[in-house]
Every structure is written in structure tokens, then in C-alpha cells.
Amino acid sequence: MGMMENSAIFMAPLLLRNTVTSLLVYADKSILVLAEKYKVLEIFRYLVIASFLFFLRLFPSFSQSLKADDDYTFNSTQSSGYFVGYGGVGDSGIGRALSQLLWSVNDIPVSSSKYGIVRSLAERLIEENNKEDIEALREMNRTVLSAAFSRTLCLVEAAMVELGQGRVGHYGAGFGPVCYQLNRLLRAVGVGSGRVGVSRSGNSAEKLAAELLWLAEELAGCGFEEEAVERWASASNLAALSLSAEPRLQGSLVKASAFLFKQMKDMDLKETEEGLRQTKMKMLTSWLPLLCRGSNGTDMPVLSLSERAELEKILEDTIDMLQHEEQEQVLSLWLHHFTYCPSSDWPNLYASYARWCTTSRKLFLPPLKM
């Protein structure tokens, strides 16, 4: 009875915490779309994130619960709810196991010897699920990996805001003040360390950004690259924050953007024409500024010459598929950020710009008489 009572005491806050985590991750997708149009909802979204981070500090972490009781043993019946909230797949032990591994990858410091072990276990589990050629296992991979990608996006954005990488004047009207006020709120409530992955050194944000690329690669390896692409295209707030991030963090986000632009190229058969065009438009307007500003690197280039050439061609082809007015918006954005950063000559979209000018000029020609 004593062990059961202790387990119940430890699991109660974990169940509540992970239920709230799940609600935040999935609700944030809907709020994010509306927040792009209504600034009031944008402010509300950041207040929700701040409240969520404060909420996490009120509850003990899973690892602390293990240390608190040497006699603790895992009971799948009692603890199943711990992973239902996070991954949404609480009907199988393998789903709960994968959810726990991906959660732990975010939490464990990369300097720990346990980090590589846990990440390798997650990769092995994902690969073995995929090899079984069972639709239920493939769907489980998609659901758990997508939830992990969404959660990591939230953690990177929260880490950057808490670190103060979102000051007034960097992102356009309205956005800077919201981030600045949230940053003050986060510091006031004392959120700055622990399981949420926020640290004042900046290492945690860089680590989480690298894990975004890893999760995107795992999704693509399972054939679900559209899950990562659509979430990345909608992460406009993270993209805006990245413009004033530290160079190493920018480099990690550039690598993730480059990979997902390449994946987007092969999505034509998986999306409706209109939906794909909107996704491509959001990808370009969100992440093209970072490609212009954050592609140099500190010690070495973030992307190789061949990677730059390949991505430049993908960007040109993507722009050519947009409508004329959308091309103007994207190319105007490119020109602004391309000229803003004189130390970088990439991506050079001059050919796309010239083609757009030629097409625009033809609009003044009189129609041919029949």
C-alpha cells in the first residue's frame, strides 16, 4: 500500500502537468494562425506561454520523482496518463515509451553521457516501428514525432524570449514590444531553468534548435515531412525572433530551414495546389529573412557552397510557382534583408527578381488585336 500511495502522489502532478502541456501544444496551432492577423491574440498567446512556463515550475520533474523514492517501479497502468497528454497515444506501451524518450531528449543536457543513449534509443524505436510496415505503428510515429516537434518549437521560442532575444525594433510594428513585455514577465516570475529548457547561457536554446532539425529528419525518414514543413512555415514568431539571435543559434535555425525547404520541394503530390501554395508562401515570408541574415556563420559557413546553390535553386523555383502579387511581396522582402546585410551575398535571387520585373513590364503592353 505504501508504494502505491507514493506512486499516486508522484503521478498526480505529472498527469496534470502533461495534460496542460498537450492542451497548450495543440491549442497553440489554432491561436498562431489567428495571431498573425490580430495583435490582441498575439499578446494573449504570449501570456499563455508565460503562464505555462510558470505552471511547470510548480511541479516536480519526472526525474526528481524517481530520485525521491528508491523503491519506485514503473507501472504502465498507473502511469499511462503521463504520456497520453504528451503524445496523444496512450493506448500502447510502445507509444508511451517513444513519447517518454522524446520528452527526455529535450530535458537531458547534451553534455550528459545519457543524452546519446536516450537519443539512440528513440531513433532505434522509430526505425523499428517504421520497418514493421504496420499502418498503426507508422501513424504512431507520425503522431508522437509531430507532437514532439510542436513542443520543441514552443520551447525554443520560449527560451529565446526569456533570454531577451526579442527587443523592440527588430521585427516590425507590434512584435518587439510584445516579446519585450513577455521577457519582463518571465523574469518576474522566475522562469529560467529546469525542464522547460530555458537557460541564460543560450546553450539550451541552441540545443533545442538542433533537436528541431533532428525531429524534422526523423519525420521525413518516416515519410511525414509535411508535418514538420507546415509547422515550420507557421512559426513566424520564432522566425522573427531568430533575426536578433546569437550567431550559433541562427546557424542551427538556418540548417533546419534549409532542410525543410528541400523537403517542401517534394510535397507537390501530397497537398492540394492551393494549400501547397499557401504553405510555400508562409515558408518564404517567415524564413527567407533569416537565410539572408544568418547564413554566414562564425567559425565556418553554416551551409556548404553546394548546399547554398541547391537551396538557391529551390527558392527560385518556389517563387516562380507563386502568383504575381505574391512574388512581389516575397521579392520585396528578400531585397530588403539582402541589402540590409552587406557581408552576405546569399541567397542571390536576382534572376527571380529580373523575371518578375519583365513580367510586370508586360502588363503595360496593349492586348493583341484579333
Side-chain angles (χ1 to χ4, degrees):
M1 288 295 292
M3 182 179 295
M4 292 180 63
E5 291 176 357
N6 287 338
S7 298
I9 291 173
F10 290 138
M11 292 307 302
L14 293 174
L15 294 175
L16 180 58
R17 187 186 73 172
N18 289 282
T19 299
V20 174
T21 300
S22 178
L23 291 174
L24 177 72
V25 168
Y26 289 102
D28 186 64
K29 300 176 195 174
S30 302
I31 297 176
L32 184 59
V33 175
L34 295 175
E36 294 176 355
K37 300 180 180 180
Y38 305 103
K39 292 297 180 182
V40 174
L41 285 177
E42 184 176 325
I43 297 172
F44 172 74
R45 177 174 177 262
Y46 276 103
L47 289 175
V48 169
I49 293 175
S51 301
F52 168 67
L53 295 176
F54 180 67
F55 169 82
L56 287 181
R57 286 180 61 87
L58 300 179
F59 295 92
S61 67
F62 182 58
S63 60
Q64 288 172 333
S65 296
L66 291 177
K67 293 177 182 178
D69 189 351
D70 293 336
D71 295 327
Y72 177 86
T73 56
F74 184 83
N75 184 306
S76 61
T77 302
Q78 285 183 317
S79 59
S80 62
Y82 175 70
F83 304 107
V84 173
Y86 172 56
V89 284
D91 56 348
S92 68
I94 198 71
R96 292 189 292 271
L98 182 55
S99 295
Q100 181 185 17
L101 287 169
L102 295 179
W103 186 291
S104 298
V105 167
N106 284 156
D107 291 349
I108 299 174
V110 72
S111 58
S112 172
S113 59
K114 299 176 183 178
Y115 181 81
I117 296 174
V118 172
R119 183 158 156 168
S120 295
L121 283 172
E123 291 172 346
R124 178 180 175 180
L125 209 57
I126 294 166
E127 182 181 4
E128 290 176 349
N129 289 344
N130 211 35
K131 284 182 177 179
E132 289 296 330
D133 198 26
I134 298 175
E135 185 59 30
L137 287 175
R138 284 177 46 80
E139 180 64 18
M140 188 198 66
N141 273 354
R142 183 192 67 80
T143 302
V144 177
L145 283 168
S146 297
F149 191 84
S150 295
R151 173 178 180 265
T152 307
L153 273 174
C154 287
L155 292 177
V156 174
E157 184 176 337
M160 292 174 68
V161 172
E162 202 281 330
L163 287 166
Q165 300 182 20
R167 296 185 178 87
V168 179
H170 286 286
Y171 318 111
F175 188 85
V178 172
C179 292
Y180 177 72
Q181 291 166 9
L182 177 58
N183 180 45
R184 292 183 61 187
L185 176 60
L186 288 168
R187 294 184 185 279
V189 300
V191 176
S193 62
R195 293 181 61 84
V196 294
V198 180
S199 75
R200 299 185 188 279
S201 67
N203 293 331
S204 182
E206 184 183 343
K207 167 186 176 290
L208 291 167
E211 288 166 0
L212 279 172
L213 174 57
W214 171 66
L215 289 167
E217 290 171 342
E218 292 299 322
L219 278 165
C222 295
F224 302 119
E225 60 274 3
E226 69 275 5
E227 295 284 342
V229 169
E230 290 172 359
R231 285 165 173 77
W232 195 251
S234 298
S236 56
N237 287 338
L238 177 61
L241 285 168
S242 71
L243 297 183
S244 64
E246 296 176 354
R248 291 176 63 88
L249 178 54
Q250 282 188 335
S252 296
L253 295 172
V254 166
K255 290 178 181 178
S257 298
F259 175 79
L260 290 169
F261 268 110
K262 293 175 184 176
Q263 298 304 311
M264 186 177 66
K265 178 187 65 173
D266 302 322
M267 284 175 53
D268 299 74
L269 299 178
K270 299 182 181 181
E271 293 259 351
T272 63
E273 182 177 351
E274 178 64 19
L276 180 61
R277 186 178 58 79
Q278 291 179 0
T279 298
K280 290 183 175 182
M281 183 65 180
K282 288 193 293 183
M283 277 283 283
L284 288 166
T285 55
S286 293
W287 294 104
L288 187 56
L290 177 64
L291 296 182
C292 294
R293 296 196 187 196
S295 58
N296 288 327
T298 51
D299 300 326
M300 62 183 65
V302 175
L303 302 175
S304 65
L305 291 176
S306 60
E307 288 174 329
R308 289 187 178 200
E310 180 185 6
L311 184 55
E312 201 170 81
K313 180 65 167 59
I314 291 173
L315 292 173
E316 289 181 348
D317 292 344
T318 302
I319 292 172
D320 289 344
M321 293 180 64
L322 300 177
Q323 295 178 356
H324 186 74
E325 294 78 9
E326 293 172 334
Q327 290 183 20
E328 178 182 3
Q329 182 180 346
V330 170
L331 290 169
S332 176
L333 184 70
W334 163 76
L335 185 62
H336 170 74
H337 290 279
F338 184 73
T339 56
Y340 182 88
C341 189
S343 60
S344 173
D345 59 354
W346 184 87
N348 188 346
L349 301 179
Y350 173 79
S352 293
Y353 195 87
R355 284 194 295 271
W356 176 84
C357 289
T358 299
T359 303
S360 298
R361 195 176 296 112
K362 289 179 178 180
L363 296 177
F364 287 91
L365 296 176
L368 295 176
K369 296 181 179 181
M370 300 299 294

